Amino acid sequence: MSATSAAEAPRRGFLGHPRGLSTLFFTELWERFSYYGMKAILAYYLYYSVSEGGLGVDKGAALSLVAIYGSSVYMSGVAGGWLADRVLGSQRAVLHGGVLIMLGHVALAVPIGLAGVYLGLVLIVLGTGLLKPNVSNIVGDLYGEHDPRRDAGFSIFYTGVNLGAFIAPLVCGFLGQQVNWHLGFGAAAVGMAFGLVQYQVGRKHLGEASDRPANPLPDADRARVLGRITAVSLGVVAVLGVLIATGLLSGEGVVNLLSVVSVVLPVVYFTVMMRSPRTTPVERTRLVAYIPLFIAAVIFWLLYEQAATVIAAFADTSVRNSIFGIEFPPSFFQSINPVMIIVFAPLFALLWMRLGTRQPATPRKFSGGLLFVGLSFLVAMAASQAGGPDDEVSPLWLVLVFFVMTCGELLLSPVGLSVTTKLAPRAFAAQTMGLFFLSSAAGQGIGAQVVKLYSDDAAVAYFGILGAVAMGLGVLLLVFSPKIRELMRGVD
């Protein structure tokens, strides 16, 4: 919970939930439209040949770049959470982040090659770092600590996320692959602009929830601290720029560096919060319980986020992209998962509401998430065995892959958002939400190295090994669930 009370936001008005949930639902819908619309075509734009309108980047390098971009997006959430907790408040952080995201998509829409890609990705990384953890933090702040509607509220919110993710590949994918790549990126920019307008119009419904910093910097220290942060950030950028310009650090070297940072950063952040005098003994115990859940989330996202890299490449080369004789761009496959979320998330939300206190504990839900995502990769393994070099498999194989993956996502992702708001130390409210998104950063950072191992010839071993590892860890988490729940100190 942040410094402002959930009671200060309007309590009802949107499907039995606080009216502000509607504002955040549509803000996240349009932000995710822009994010997933761009991501659905980014890998193809990078590795398609110049004659096809792409940039002709090596496929392995392109997949690795997309993965490390996704990792960087979520790493930036730590800085965004800190700025919200100490300087801006979550509501203003969301606004500023949305503006940066929109500008990033505008840069991608300008046909200036890799320069536009790099500039656009940097702006989107910075903007998403401000917006993503903080919009979720505001959702949590709309509810009291023991409000039974909280998990259901996050599931409804998650439906908005996936409604945007469903529409995005259809619009941006069609425009990008069938008309012009830059029109696809431009559509993503327009989507974020819609989200910003909607957020400003509906912001009044949020009341004072997360409006002020939870742990503001003292006025006397603000200029000094922000000045140092700015100087260090500019220094790091300058050093990296010189190393890249002189050839001492290659593009692959940057990817490798960010992969290491994605793993080290959450370790450092856990250590800082555990040792902070502002973390109470009970909060410290809850953080210990959060560690195995975090690791489970890392493994989940390692597999799940390959939908836009390895699975997208598999769809491009090994899956028939036509139904009833009607062909469609491979990017359309990216809409399967979100449409399933739209269908099944309300059912999961209803299930949790009906079960009430009888629903499975959070560690057991996380275990289910790992088991299902692992199973989805075993299905992909079967699909890769069903076809051949000149024999594309039925698109129903990918429908099944995404269906199984969706079941795992609904057991882990919205539940993870909810439990993070409940286990977060009060002084690190928004920053802990940023920490949850670091699980995706670490998963994709590791994935940036793992996806280099994929090829059409190695697909069976690739999908099989990763799927088996995830399912094994899911069983292990299930065994230790009672101990983890005990450490959560009353949080379900």
Side-chain angles (χ1 to χ4, degrees), residues 145-146 286 361-363 418-419 422-423 484-492:
E145 183 175 359
H146 301 290
R286 287 174 173 173
T362 295
S418 178
V419 77
K422 291 185 280 189
L423 294 177
I484 296 170
R485 189 178 184 188
E486 179 183 336
L487 292 170
M488 292 169 70
R489 294 289 185 91
V491 172
D492 294 323

Side-chain angles (χ1 to χ4, degrees), residues 150-451:
R150 180 186 288 259
D151 277 11
F154 271 102
S155 291
I156 293 171
F157 173 73
Y158 211 63
T159 303
V161 170
N162 286 279
L163 183 58
F166 161 64
I167 300 170
L170 303 180
V171 176
C172 300
F174 174 80
L175 291 174
Q177 292 195 273
Q178 301 295 104
V179 184
N180 181 280
W181 295 109
H182 302 287
L183 283 178
F185 295 128
V190 172
M192 190 66 251
F194 284 157
L196 285 169
V197 171
Q198 188 279 147
Y199 178 72
Q200 280 298 91
V201 170
R203 191 171 168 184
K204 60 181 178 292
H205 299 302
L206 302 178
E208 296 182 11
S210 301
D211 187 40
R212 296 185 295 274
N215 183 28
L217 285 171
D219 291 339
D221 296 336
R222 180 182 296 238
R224 175 177 55 83
V225 172
L226 294 180
R228 288 181 179 178
I229 291 172
T230 301
V232 170
S233 299
L234 292 175
V236 170
V237 171
V239 170
L240 288 175
V242 170
L243 291 175
I244 294 172
T246 57
L248 297 175
L249 186 63
S250 64
E252 184 178 1
V254 173
V255 171
N256 294 339
L257 175 62
L258 290 174
S259 291
V260 172
V261 172
S262 73
V263 175
V264 172
L265 190 56
V267 174
V268 171
Y269 223 80
F270 266 112
T271 303
V272 169
M273 289 197 294
M274 291 288 288
R275 293 183 175 181
S276 173
R278 297 193 300 273
T279 302
T280 68
V282 170
E283 290 173 338
R284 194 167 287 112
T285 300
R286 287 174 173 173
L287 278 177
V288 172
Y290 191 61
I291 292 173
L293 301 180
F294 181 88
I295 294 172
V298 170
I299 303 303
F300 176 86
W301 296 120
L302 166 62
L303 275 64
Y304 175 88
E305 290 291 354
Q306 292 186 44
T309 54
V310 166
I311 293 177
F314 180 70
D316 188 32
T317 59
S318 303
V319 181
R320 188 171 64 252
N321 61 326
S322 64
I323 296 179
F324 305 121
I326 302 173
E327 293 190 2
F328 52 87
S331 55
F332 276 27
F333 284 113
Q334 299 296 313
S335 287
I336 297 175
N337 170 253
V339 76
M340 289 182 174
I341 292 289
I342 293 168
V343 172
F344 292 111
L347 298 180
F348 272 74
L350 179 62
L351 176 63
W352 304 146
M353 291 284 280
R354 288 288 179 88
L355 289 176
T357 57
R358 295 179 289 112
Q359 64 186 275
T362 295
R364 290 181 178 271
K365 293 178 182 178
F366 268 61
S367 174
L370 279 180
L371 291 171
F372 275 106
V373 78
L375 180 59
S376 74
F377 264 53
L378 296 185
V379 174
M381 178 189 70
S384 62
Q385 288 178 309
D390 301 313
D391 183 19
E392 295 177 331
V393 301
S394 167
L396 294 178
W397 277 108
L398 278 190
V399 173
L400 181 58
V401 168
F402 282 118
F403 169 73
V404 177
M405 188 178 287
T406 297
C407 293
E409 183 181 2
L410 286 170
L411 283 169
L412 187 143
S413 189
V415 175
L417 292 171
S418 178
V419 77
T420 298
T421 64
K422 291 185 280 189
L423 294 177
R426 183 181 178 87
F428 296 92
Q431 293 175 73
T432 309
M433 185 58 70
L435 179 62
F436 176 73
F437 291 117
L438 279 184
S439 66
S440 182
Q444 293 183 78
I446 297 169
Q449 305 304 315
V450 173
V451 297

